[in-house]
Amino acid sequence: MTTRGDTLHAPTDLRGSSRGQLPTRLPLLVYVLALGTFLMGTTEFVVAGLLPEIAGDVQVGVARAGLLITVFAVGMIVGAPLMAMLTLRLPSRLALILALGIFAAGHVVVALGSDFALILGARFLTALATGAFWAVANVVAARAAGPAASSRALGVVGAGAMLANVVGVPLGAYAGQVMGWRGPFWALAVLGAAAMVLIARHVPRDTGGDQAVSVRSELAALRSGRLWLALAACVTTTGGVLSTYTYISPLLTDRAGLAAGLVPLVLVGFGVGALAGFLVGGRLGDRRPHTTTIVAPVVTTVLLLAICLLSGYAGPTTVLVALLGLFGLGANPVLISLGVRFAGRAPTLGSALTVSAFNLGTAVGSWIAGLALASPLGANGSGCRRRRDRPPHADPDDRHRAHPPPPVGSGTHPSRRAAVTSSPRPDRGWALPA
């Protein structure tokens, strides 16, 4: 029970008794690990709210500054399994502390850096540490909770990242507006250092370095067909949900006619739904793991179809987006638990591969959605244009036409008149850049 390769093997009597009754309380350690995933979920997406400030300060374009998000996702995909293998012989406690130390150091480099390439490299290094922490944290949380509550514990750990979308990212973006974009990175560095102290205090020491655990034995887990089936489910479920979520803002404004200022509230609704989905899904997954992993994607598919049919109405779309967060991500803790279980004597590698699978699903899903939206069937296609063929003011309730361009000869300067009439209008749909 002391090595990372043996953490999930419980005695037979414990397995038998776990079916009848679930533990009423999870260990404090699980919530400490959730704090770590909260910090890492915050740093992954807080950049999105600070792109203009970062771009202006380091003198790059906003589109290029967006690479700070892309490179982090790539680092998570590559880093989780890679770092799991590199830290194979390290005790779990030491691996978590080292990961948080690199996390804090990377944020210091970003906060001090003025060269974009240096900042980009620091983000990639931070992503590697994030992948390592997440992979090991899942195994440690499952071990601490025991087989009877492993999915529930993983739901709490994953809920830390969901809470980051509800609280951490908006708060970080606001702090960046008030105190400068470097402020949130300093704060994350300090909090990362504080998390190191908590991990050192609450994660028990283990021996690690078991000579029986080798790279070859870890890689043997890749022969499990059930493991690859769980990983495929991770990719497809996450890709299906986040392909829609990535482009939810233009969907709400251009199709549903929602005011741009209300979009953040809808996103908060999605985050709250995802947070609840992780907690509820993890609890249900301990009793009915296979039922949960089937019902959640089925309901998610129905919700996505409903969004397609009702996206022209703001009220129903807002409710459907919140439900999408609840059901769309509700199976994730169960899938992580299955990935760890099906990896056999390589639970850390199984956990790492699920982290990579979720990030791969996010990247592939958003890419496919972008291709679909840019196609003739997408938002610029005739089937999705919002009242494009109607003349202006044909619908007095159309909010997007509240301010029409001035008529010719109204006294407006010719250059100003041309700028107004040639600018993109909401009724023209929206398109992705080529």
Side-chain angles (χ1 to χ4, degrees):
M1 295 286 288
T2 58
T3 64
R4 281 159 60 178
D6 297 327
T7 53
L8 296 183
H9 296 286
T12 304
D13 55 346
L14 179 59
R15 292 178 185 175
S17 63
S18 65
R19 292 183 179 272
Q21 183 179 3
L22 294 178
T24 58
R25 181 178 300 178
L26 291 174
L28 177 62
L29 168 60
V30 174
Y31 298 96
V32 173
L33 296 171
L35 173 62
T37 58
F38 170 80
L39 297 178
M40 294 176 181
T42 299
T43 194
E44 183 171 6
F45 294 108
V46 73
V47 175
L50 303 172
L51 282 182
E53 290 78 11
I54 296 175
D57 193 17
V58 300
Q59 298 180 350
V60 298
V62 174
R64 191 180 178 196
L67 291 174
L68 294 173
I69 299 176
T70 304
V71 76
F72 196 96
V74 173
M76 286 283 288
I77 295 172
V78 177
L82 176 63
M83 297 304 293
M85 300 301 292
L86 292 179
T87 62
L88 178 62
R89 299 297 179 89
L90 294 180
S92 301
R93 181 170 177 265
L94 179 58
L96 291 171
I97 293 174
L98 286 176
L100 284 170
I102 297 173
F103 176 88
H107 283 78
V108 171
V109 173
V110 173
L112 293 174
S114 57
D115 180 70
F116 182 71
L118 177 63
I119 295 175
L120 206 62
R123 286 284 289 176
F124 183 77
L125 184 65
T126 304
L128 294 179
T130 299
F133 180 91
W134 219 313
V136 178
N138 284 336
V139 176
V140 173
R143 175 180 61 186
S150 60
S151 293
R152 184 173 156 210
L154 293 175
V156 172
V157 173
M162 298 300 103
L163 185 63
N165 290 325
V166 180
V167 178
V169 173
L171 185 61
Y174 174 76
Q177 300 292 335
V178 174
M179 55 193 300
W181 71 267
R182 300 178 188 273
F185 289 95
W186 280 115
L188 286 167
V190 172
L191 291 174
M196 292 175 62
V197 177
L198 292 175
I199 291 294
R201 181 181 179 87
H202 293 285
V203 176
R205 294 179 180 272
D206 52 32
T207 57
D210 188 1
Q211 298 300 318
V213 180
S214 64
V215 173
R216 178 176 298 179
S217 63
E218 291 273 309
L219 293 178
L222 300 179
R223 301 173 185 173
S224 171
R226 294 189 299 173
L227 172 61
W228 287 106
L229 185 61
L231 295 176
C234 294
V235 173
T236 53
T237 55
T238 305
V241 173
L242 295 185
S243 62
T244 300
Y245 180 73
T246 301
Y247 299 101
I248 198 67
S249 180
L251 176 69
L252 293 171
T253 55
D254 292 355
R255 277 289 290 164
L258 194 71
L262 297 178
V263 171
L265 295 180
V266 180
L267 299 183
V268 169
F270 178 90
V272 171
L275 174 62
F278 256 80
L279 296 175
V280 175
R283 183 176 289 271
L284 294 177
D286 287 317
R287 294 182 179 273
R288 304 287 182 184
H290 296 94
T291 301
T292 304
T293 55
I294 293 173
V295 172
V298 169
V299 176
T300 299
T301 302
V302 174
L303 290 172
L304 290 172
L305 291 174
I307 290 176
C308 291
L309 297 174
L310 300 175
S311 60
Y313 304 92
T317 302
T318 300
V319 175
L320 289 171
V321 168
L323 292 175
L324 184 65
L326 175 64
F327 288 95
L329 301 179
N332 284 13
V334 191
L335 292 173
I336 297 173
S337 178
L338 292 176
V340 171
R341 182 189 307 173
F342 294 154
R345 293 184 60 83
T348 305
L349 180 60
S351 172
L353 289 174
T354 59
V355 173
S356 295
F358 286 129
N359 283 275
L360 180 62
T362 302
V364 173
S366 59
W367 174 65
I368 293 177
L371 294 178
L373 290 171
S375 71
L377 296 177
N380 282 329
S382 59
C384 292
R385 287 175 183 160
R386 191 177 190 272
R387 301 179 178 94
R388 175 170 181 175
D389 297 327
R390 296 187 184 182
H393 303 290
D395 183 358
D397 295 326
D398 194 343
R399 303 176 188 177
H400 290 298
R401 298 186 177 89
H403 302 286
V408 177
S410 61
T412 306
H413 191 275
S415 61
R416 170 60 179 163
R417 190 162 59 237
V420 173
T421 56
S422 62
S423 62
R425 287 174 50 193
D427 61 319
R428 299 298 182 189
W430 54 280
L432 296 174

